[in-house]
Amino acid sequence: RTNVREGDSVRVNLRGTTVSSFSEMLQLDSVDAFVNVVRLIEGVDFQPADVSIPDVLAGNYQAKLVRLNDVQFIQSQLGSTFADAAGLNTVNRTLEDCSGNTIIVRTSGYADFADEKLPEGKGSLVAIAGLYRPEWQDFDTWQLYIRRFEEIDMDGPRCGEVEGTIILSEDFSGATVGEPIDHNNWKSHIVDGTRHWVASTTGSRKYAQISPFGSGDESNVVWLTSPQVNANQYQDVVMYFETAQTNFKHDGLKAYISYDYDGSNPEAALWTELSDAVIASASSSAGSWVGSGNVNVSNSGQNFHIGFKYTGSDTDDLNTLFRVDNVKVYGVEE
């Protein structure tokens, strides 16, 4: 029992207590709430700091109340509960943003929402940021601890899902593994070098992949172009895609759209870079898929093509392997 309630501002008298560090988190032991703790102000409405997952991972919010927006639990854990309520076991779940950043949400089996299922949408949650680093571990593990279920608001469309009409969707599942991409009017075009965009697979997932590694090519310029996106009835269009990298050496992949591409030579068309799109980079874990975020395309009612341009060189060790998958385009009604 304690006389301290949520929202109280307190002063702690350390006489008779023990101050220690557990896994890089400061802690107080032997605290008598009626002797060591003095309430200074009661019932303060403490507001959480609005932060991103990278903000927490940077270590600036230890033991602070935070709110993360535009986040979701990873697909593979949907249908699971926050913790093991029957066995009273603590469980880690993984939260992600639309750029592929992740962080652990750790919940005790004793929590009154332990048997609640993870929300399937995207949105916000309020939690306390904590650090876990046992002596045997040489890196920091940042974790979030949810105070109560009511501070979770995650019923919006998931990353890559838009409240609109889907007008293009491609996951390359029908492409032939090991062959240059020539599928559903998606095509690989070599400008320099010898390597195409080819279909590849990891487990059950298939995608488009480019890598000049081992080719000996001095220059690699290779386009992956889409069929025409029929967007002329929409003033606003939103695009989403996912990329991954391995053997990172350089930022060799960019995404574009073109309104005058005729489907033949991409170098003869005018392309506009989608500079707001997030693409896998040196900060991305090798092989991990990174969402582009929902990229707004103000197309003013025009049809267009999408182009992914790879630029590199095997001889200059600029031969990062890149992958592209789950390309989606939505037309948004006014």
Side-chain angles (χ1 to χ4, degrees), residues 124-309:
S124 67
L125 63 78
V126 174
I128 296 171
L131 174 63
Y132 176 67
R133 187 176 185 181
E135 293 181 357
W136 49 264
Q137 183 173 293
D138 61 357
F139 57 90
D140 295 335
T141 299
W142 288 95
Q143 303 173 335
L144 299 174
Y145 306 94
I146 298 170
R147 298 189 301 180
R148 51 183 174 271
F149 190 71
E150 293 73 22
E151 292 185 316
I152 304 171
D153 182 12
M154 301 172 67
D155 57 2
R158 289 178 65 83
C159 297
E161 296 177 354
V162 176
E163 293 180 350
T165 301
I166 190 160
I167 51 180
L168 180 110
S169 179
E170 184 57 63
D171 62 5
F172 303 101
S173 59
T176 302
V177 173
E179 294 295 321
I181 296 293
D182 187 0
H183 168 71
N184 286 347
N185 288 320
W186 285 82
K187 294 183 181 296
S188 172
H189 306 265
I190 293 177
V191 177
D192 282 324
T194 61
R195 295 291 176 85
H196 272 286
W197 282 92
V198 299
S200 188
T201 185
T202 300
S204 61
R205 182 166 187 165
K206 195 178 290 185
Y207 42 80
Q209 175 175 294
I210 180 69
S211 172
F213 182 79
S215 67
D217 292 338
E218 295 182 1
S219 174
N220 298 93
V221 179
V222 194
W223 285 85
L224 175 65
T225 61
S226 77
Q228 178 174 278
V229 181
N230 297 316
N232 56 3
Q233 61 182 305
Y234 301 101
Q235 291 298 306
D236 293 304
V237 171
V238 175
M239 178 176 165
Y240 174 86
F241 59 89
E242 296 175 352
T243 57
Q245 59 81 14
T246 65
N247 187 40
F248 188 87
K249 301 293 179 62
H250 75 306
D251 292 306
L253 180 64
K254 295 185 182 299
Y256 299 86
I257 61 170
S258 173
Y259 298 112
D260 65 357
Y261 177 52
D262 64 6
S264 56
N265 178 15
E267 292 287 286
L270 177 64
W271 295 90
T272 300
E273 183 181 353
L274 298 174
S275 56
D276 291 337
V278 178
I279 293 177
S281 64
S283 62
S284 312
S285 299
S288 296
W289 289 97
V290 175
S292 65
N294 292 337
V295 182
N296 291 313
V297 180
S298 298
N299 68 309
S300 301
Q302 300 179 70
N303 296 331
F304 60 90
H305 287 79
I306 302 164
F308 293 97
K309 184 180 183 180

Side-chain angles (χ1 to χ4, degrees), residues 107-123:
T107 304
S108 168
Y110 290 89
D112 60 9
F113 60 92
D115 60 350
E116 293 280 357
K117 288 190 175 181
L118 300 177
E120 297 190 356
K122 181 184 69 174

Side-chain angles (χ1 to χ4, degrees), residues 303-325:
N303 296 331
F304 60 90
H305 287 79
I306 302 164
F308 293 97
K309 184 180 183 180
Y310 181 91
T311 305
S313 168
D314 188 38
T315 57
D316 292 335
D317 206 24
L318 301 176
N319 48 22
T320 308
L321 181 151
F322 279 101
R323 296 165 177 163
V324 172
D325 199 7

